Amino acid sequence: MKKVRIAALVLLSLMVGHAHSQTDFFFNHYMLNPSYFNPAFVGEEENAFAIAQHRTQWAGYNPTIGTGSAPSTQLLSLNIPAKRVISGIGAVAINDRQNNLRSNQIRFQVALTRQLRAGVLSLGLSPAVNVQTIDPGDFISVDPEDFGTRQSEVKPNFHAGIRFQFNSRYIVGLSMENIVAPTFNLNGFDQLDYFERVVNVFVLREYALSRELKVIPSLLARTNPGSIANFTLDLSVLAYYQNKLWGGLAFKRSESLTALIGYAFLKDGKLKAGYSFDYVISEQAAKEPTSHEVFIRMDLPELIFGGRKAIKTPRFAF
């Protein structure tokens, strides 16, 4: 009876989480930080930068099986260009919570780039460490012993991707997350807590309408190789004014409509902050209707790997 109760509760927790599995986290600002799902984008820009993101899914959601709150995800990433054999290095730290299940990930990233006649080809590799935790204390129960004790496991993982930037400003990326597909055995249920392989296809195109205004549509399709029919599709269009103010709309297949807005602060726009608001348009009875996300980026122009930093004086720059 004890294992049956735990299995039912964990399974329900997975079902009310994200669309595919409880490890399938997502951010609306994917187009502003594609390196978190495709390491081939590490080092694509001349400047290094750090990004912090926070997402609250279905704000106000109150699960009936425990004392947890709405699903939430936090991400920290560092992206550093390189000037030697490799073109970039990076790291990503992720904290994802869905009721009683917590997922922590650390991804180390490296990219190699080659200039071709038609554009730039990049290959990215990302060894990773995953920590999965189940906390029975979040369950509501008559007898606390029914749900065992808090348990955690650590498993290795691996991600990889390729990126091609055409000279015409098209960018196409293909990546696979969770290549190792680690399975965790928490409280004896190894089939209820696992990381599915996820294939990502990312396409972005920049259109310059004037010297001050540009429009960038993007697409991100995500699926599991074992169930290609079960996929998500995100379409977005962002407009940038003077590279300082941006705003746009996005659509997530069978899920929500999203509005995004952001602004660049400080000299040369080194600090960028964005916000997105989701409104659920599908299966509202099982969810709260709104989700919120915050995006912060800080450029670090003096940070570079394997090269010389620019040292500026009143008379010289070298």
Side-chain angles (χ1 to χ4, degrees):
M1 179 61 70
K2 174 182 174 181
K3 287 193 173 184
V4 172
R5 289 180 181 178
I6 297 176
L9 290 170
V10 174
L11 181 59
L12 181 57
S13 179
L14 295 176
M15 292 175 63
V16 300
H18 294 290
H20 300 299
S21 74
Q22 63 87 221
T23 61
D24 185 22
F25 64 90
F26 174 81
F27 290 99
N28 288 330
H29 293 86
Y30 65 89
M31 75 294 292
L32 302 181
N33 188 22
S35 63
Y36 85 81
F37 59 83
N38 187 339
F41 281 84
V42 171
E44 66 166 336
E45 298 188 29
E46 294 183 0
N47 290 334
F49 57 87
I51 287 178
Q53 294 178 251
H54 171 84
R55 178 172 178 82
T56 297
Q57 182 86 4
W58 311 328
Y61 175 77
N62 185 21
T64 59
I65 62 172
T67 59
S69 58
S72 66
T73 307
Q74 297 80 41
L75 177 148
L76 294 174
S77 66
L78 179 63
N79 191 314
I80 305 174
K83 300 297 184 180
R84 299 290 182 176
V85 177
I86 60 176
S87 59
I89 60 173
V92 178
I94 303 160
N95 175 60
D96 185 63
R97 174 171 178 171
Q98 297 186 43
N99 199 37
N100 66 303
L101 292 170
R102 296 172 175 83
S103 174
N104 298 100
Q105 305 178 40
I106 298 178
R107 304 183 181 191
F108 305 96
Q109 303 168 313
V110 60
L112 301 92
T113 298
R114 182 171 182 178
Q115 181 72 49
L116 304 177
R117 176 176 297 180
V120 179
L121 176 66
S122 299
L123 169 66
L125 303 175
S126 178
V129 176
N130 292 71
V131 181
Q132 205 75 337
T133 302
I134 185 171
D135 189 352
D138 289 336
F139 288 132
I140 298 174
S141 63
V142 176
D143 184 358
E145 294 183 359
D146 284 342
F147 306 111
T149 60
R150 177 187 174 98
Q151 292 188 12
S152 297
E153 283 193 22
V154 180
K155 294 290 182 69
N157 206 343
F158 195 80
H159 319 279
I162 58 174
R163 165 186 171 270
F164 192 84
Q165 180 170 350
F166 293 88
N167 294 329
S168 60
R169 294 187 178 180
Y170 262 107
I171 297 178
V172 178
L174 175 65
S175 63
M176 178 177 284
E177 299 179 272
N178 307 318
I179 295 175
V180 177
T183 297
F184 294 80
N185 187 356
L186 299 175
N187 280 321
F189 294 95
D190 58 350
Q191 296 305 313
L192 298 179
D193 192 20
Y194 58 97
F195 282 75
E196 293 182 318
R197 295 184 180 94
V198 179
V199 174
N200 304 292
V201 178
F202 176 60
V203 181
L204 179 147
R205 174 72 161 96
E206 179 179 324
Y207 296 91
L209 303 184
S210 69
R211 294 183 61 182
E212 297 184 334
L213 181 64
K214 62 182 178 181
V215 175
I216 303 180
S218 60
L219 174 152
L220 177 62
R222 297 162 61 85
T223 188
N224 181 289
S227 180
I228 297 179
N230 186 15
F231 72 97
T232 63
L233 179 64
D234 294 88
L235 300 171
S236 71
V237 178
L238 292 184
Y240 290 80
Y241 180 70
Q242 294 184 343
N243 285 325
K244 281 193 172 185
L245 175 66
W246 74 83
L249 297 174
F251 167 74
K252 188 177 183 67
R253 174 181 175 266
S254 301
E255 174 67 20
S256 62
L257 293 172
T258 302
L260 302 95
I261 190 169
Y263 190 79
F265 301 88
L266 303 182
K267 184 180 178 180
D268 298 326
K270 290 183 180 180
L271 176 63
K272 300 174 178 65
Y275 168 77
S276 72
F277 174 84
D278 294 19
Y279 185 76
V280 172
I281 59 175
S282 176
E283 301 179 359
Q284 287 191 2
K287 313 166 186 175
E288 291 295 328
T290 63
S291 300
H292 307 272
E293 187 175 308
V294 176
F295 170 92
I296 299 174
R297 165 174 162 159
M298 185 67 187
D299 290 344
L300 307 168
E302 300 300 316
L303 181 60
I304 192 169
F305 180 79
R308 298 180 64 188
K309 298 181 180 179
I311 303 175
K312 296 183 178 181
T313 73
R315 295 180 59 190
F316 305 98
F318 56 94

